[in-house]
Amino acid sequence: MSVKRFVGATSRDAMRQLRAALGDDALILSNRNVAEGVEILAMAEDAHGQMVGSPAATQSPPASPKPAQAAAPIRQPTRTNASAPSQVTERVQMPAAPQPDFAAFSERVLGEMQDLRTLLTGQAQRAADPSRRGEESTLERLQRRLLGAGFGLHLVEELLETPPAELVHASDEPALAWAKRQLTSRLPILDDEAALLDQGGVFALIGPTGIGKTTTTAKLAARYVMRHGAAGVALVTTDSYRIGAHEQLRIYARLLGVDVHALEADAPLGDLLTRLAHKRLVIIDTVGMSQRDQRLAGQIAMLGDSTGQASGQAARPIRRLLLLNAASHGDTLEEVVETYQRASKAAGAPLFGAILTKVDEAPRLGAVLDIAIRHGLRLHYVSHGQQVPEDLSLADGNTLLDQALSVEGDSSFAAETPQASGASSQYKQIQSRKQLTRGLLGQGRALVSTLNTLRNEVAGFALLERAWPLLGYSLEQQQAHLEGLLDVAQRQRHLKNLEPAHAMLWAQAKSVSGVDWTMPALSLNAAGQSQALPWLMHRLPVGEEGRLDWAREQLGIRWQLLPRCPGAATRQCMARSGSLWLATAQAGSQVIVEGKRQRLKELANLATTWTELSCRYRGRDAHLKLSRLTVSLADGAPLTAWFGLLSDPENKRQLAQRYWLAPRDAVVGRGSPDHGSLQAPDHGSLQAPDHGSLQAPDHGSLQAPDHAFAEALVAQLVHDDLPQLTRRAWQRLADAGERIDPELRLLIAAGIAATVSRLDQERSDWAMDVRAQLMGLLGKQRGRSAQVLMDALLHLLTARDVFLMLGGAGLIDEVAA
């Protein structure tokens, strides 16, 4: 058969084999993960053409060819390569074959077409045959795993709509870890139990019958008693329907030493709450009612009054906590949440949160977690037994997701995907219409998750969020808020709480090409990665020495990444203060070597190789070879010239040559952690699979100071496109408002450029997740680049404004948080 199989350790290796054997015009039929790595099935383009049939191949041969025709071969010109149309050779067509040979040829063609059909329909066959599931792709197996854990089809489709490109050929383990991170980021969880109990208030536990409200009431009271004592808590029961319901709660109250009060049916709750105004915590055990009970709305309405405080004091709202049976079917849980949420909103406020019960009885937790995610219900506690108070724990997203995803095997009740079940066109149309209604909430959940991650990982992004809405304000309002955004003390708090600045990246003092402003200075973290905290140059002290001193004194900066070699006075000042510096140099910059003045580009061949590593340069992976040479300046100052040769890791083609100047002792004896060095052992930003982690075979492993200096070199190199990114963002903001303060516009543009650069450079899992979520918001497949990420980030910030303008939705509070 013409189909060939190529297996490599990675997809890149397999593709390299394919190109060598079949050329760039080969037709790829399938790819999948196998035990040996990645398998690709492909066939040559000309073989494919023969299979589908060309006019010459499918035309019937003459029944009785003339002898002259049979003896004279026909020469027909044909192109040998579709990618090189100008290159033409001649193909010899032999005399028409006898009928038996043609039949054999037809049989072979039909056989190959059948094999191709088998390949193309293999996915449906694998879905139908459990014994062939090992042939599924990573994402297909992940989908089956999530459905088997009990998660609903809608949420699973939302998660897998735009997976990170890194997972296409990944193994199951990183794919499952990615899915867990996505689910965890979407699952609302109580952040601070201590604050909740310290604040107290009136809580009503509501839910269907038999769900464990009375036992959970006692467990909550016990957690409060262990923290604050029994004097400040009171229990209330409104359940006058069940025989012995009051007595059960009284037994728990007597054991805890707390007060208990029984409310008769239809009696007003406000009077009782007024008498209990001195209690810090009041827990109401309500009547259990089916979600289909017509009296449900009236019972919830009774819990809607914000009463219960003594005269002259603010009323305490009744916070309704819905109890969800983790062992219930997903459809039942969906109906319960929708009905109770609707009744709660009619009573004046949405549900305050939820408590999971009977977790120990649930074979699969996916359904109840799916419900909590899609309805935005914040989980407070998890009940997993009858013991008071031992069997009540604080909800933990990681623990719940670990338990949910640890379930092995398929569920007999899991929904099949339309692809696996061969859904009809009518079904697909119905699903398409439903997708329109789910799309807004799905994007909202992705938006909340993305914003929260960026706030937690990128220093200064929260300030960028605060600045963004000002674009729609009046010019006077923009200027009134601007000073707060530029306040140094406020920015220092953001750095202290997240990632302190370790280096300052200084740009040229001249205007950026095409605009009339100077690129702001940008702070970098300990890994040499950009922070969304631009510093406007005209707001900083005058003069190079003044600005460097300001950065060191105000922000604790030791590493100064300069756009040019500093003068003698500045170098002496930095030496006295212990500052470390590295300066970009040009190819024509002149230095002294062996008493001769020479340009740096003429000295690259004399430099000694220091190390080789990988980095990401201007939107693409690159190989960086670093070399160094001892030089001097005209004033006799001893320096080291550094040479960086960037090349394509695939074809070794040179991409760029870069130059730096630094003190001779910048590598040896300087830059230790005590001197504020740039170190990122946990981020892996300078780790290359082919070259190790900053290993220099000729010079030994890089020690800590050497590692810090390499971080500084790479940090200055990979951020050299920041002025262009900032200019692009500046231009994109032109339509944001009729009148925009120039400082505000530049501040936002530089913050966006810094965030985009960080996302493109960062190799951590959170960045991979955010990139995938951002690309999903764009709604179309595009290759990864800084420009595309910028478009996606602008889309994210605009979508945030839309959700905030909508108001009333459960996601809005999280978006604005």
Side-chain angles (χ1 to χ4, degrees), residues 715-761:
Q716 195 161 40
L717 171 67
V718 300
H719 291 115
D720 67 358
D721 61 342
L722 272 174
Q724 290 73 33
L725 289 176
T726 303
R727 181 182 61 195
R728 178 182 174 89
W730 167 275
Q731 295 167 345
R732 295 293 304 274
L733 296 177
D735 299 329
E738 295 182 2
R739 300 177 63 193
I740 304 177
D741 182 85
E743 287 186 310
L744 176 65
R745 184 176 174 185
L746 180 56
L747 190 71
I748 294 176
I752 290 173
T755 304
V756 165
S757 179
R758 174 72 174 274
L759 286 174
D760 189 43
Q761 295 291 332

Side-chain angles (χ1 to χ4, degrees), residues 95-360:
Q99 185 66 29
D101 292 340
F102 178 75
F105 173 76
S106 299
E107 183 179 356
R108 182 173 65 86
V109 170
L110 289 175
E112 292 197 355
M113 292 181 67
Q114 181 61 39
D115 291 338
L116 179 60
R117 180 182 179 185
T118 301
L119 287 171
L120 297 177
T121 59
Q123 180 178 357
Q125 295 177 2
R126 290 193 302 268
D129 185 359
S131 66
R132 299 184 60 190
R133 289 178 185 171
E135 302 177 21
E136 292 176 319
S137 69
T138 300
L139 295 180
E140 287 173 336
R141 290 193 296 274
L142 178 60
Q143 182 185 51
R144 188 174 296 278
R145 179 75 173 268
L146 293 172
L147 293 175
F151 292 97
L153 181 60
H154 297 165
L155 181 60
V156 172
E157 287 180 340
E158 177 187 316
L159 288 177
L160 300 183
E161 185 177 6
T162 53
E166 293 88 339
L167 294 183
V168 174
H169 299 296
S171 62
D172 290 351
E173 185 176 352
L176 187 63
W178 168 78
K180 179 189 171 184
R181 291 195 302 274
Q182 299 309 301
L183 293 168
T184 303
S185 67
R186 287 166 165 79
L187 183 63
I189 294 291
L190 176 64
D191 296 325
D192 190 352
E193 181 194 23
L196 180 73
L197 295 179
D198 292 346
Q199 181 184 4
V202 180
F203 293 89
L205 305 190
I206 59 177
T209 57
I211 202 170
K213 291 186 294 299
T214 301
T215 305
T216 304
T217 298
K219 292 177 181 179
L220 281 177
R223 292 183 75 91
Y224 180 89
V225 169
M226 289 188 295
R227 186 178 184 89
H228 296 289
V233 62
L235 306 182
V236 175
T237 176
T238 64
D239 189 353
S240 59
Y241 294 89
R242 286 189 305 130
I243 298 175
H246 291 182
E247 188 59 30
Q248 182 182 3
L249 192 61
R250 290 184 189 279
I251 293 174
Y252 284 131
R254 186 166 56 251
L255 293 174
L256 295 173
V258 301
D259 297 337
V260 61
H261 303 268
L263 192 68
E264 296 300 325
D266 300 327
L269 182 61
D271 293 342
L272 176 59
L273 293 181
T274 299
R275 297 197 303 272
L276 298 177
H278 62 287
K279 297 291 186 179
R280 178 182 290 183
L281 178 66
V282 178
I283 306 176
I284 304 173
D285 177 22
T286 65
V287 179
M289 282 194 172
S290 165
Q291 69 274 14
R292 300 186 178 184
D293 196 316
Q294 298 297 323
R295 298 169 296 173
L296 175 62
Q299 288 292 327
I300 301 299
M302 184 187 71
L303 303 171
D305 296 333
S306 298
T307 57
Q309 285 292 82
S311 177
Q313 295 181 338
R316 292 194 295 180
I318 300 176
R319 297 170 174 174
R320 290 174 283 276
L321 288 172
L322 176 63
L323 272 65
L324 295 176
N325 184 351
S328 293
H329 191 278
D331 290 339
T332 303
L333 292 170
E334 183 82 18
E335 190 175 85
V336 168
V337 172
E338 288 182 348
T339 304
Y340 273 86
Q341 184 70 277
R342 186 165 53 248
S344 185
K345 289 181 177 179
L351 295 170
F352 185 70
I355 297 175
L356 302 187
T357 65
K358 303 183 185 296
V359 172
D360 54 317

Side-chain angles (χ1 to χ4, degrees), residues 589-663:
S589 299
Q590 294 187 343
V591 293
I592 306 299
V593 177
E594 297 180 351
K596 297 181 180 179
R597 186 186 299 271
Q598 300 185 62
R599 292 180 295 181
L600 287 177
K601 68 177 183 180
E602 299 169 349
L603 300 172
N605 293 333
L606 301 178
T608 302
T609 300
W610 185 54
T611 191
E612 298 183 19
L613 47 90
S614 68
C615 65
R616 189 165 176 84
Y617 180 71
R618 299 205 170 189
R620 63 187 302 173
D621 293 329
H623 178 80
L624 176 62
K625 178 181 178 181
L626 290 173
S627 304
R628 59 183 175 181
L629 180 67
T630 299
V631 300
S632 300
L633 295 180
D635 60 7
L639 297 178
T640 299
W642 291 90
F643 305 84
L645 179 62
L646 285 159
S647 59
D648 189 303
E650 286 278 337
N651 54 30
K652 311 304 181 184
R653 181 173 59 88
Q654 181 174 333
L655 301 176
Q657 175 79 59
R658 293 292 181 263
Y659 309 89
W660 300 269
L661 292 173

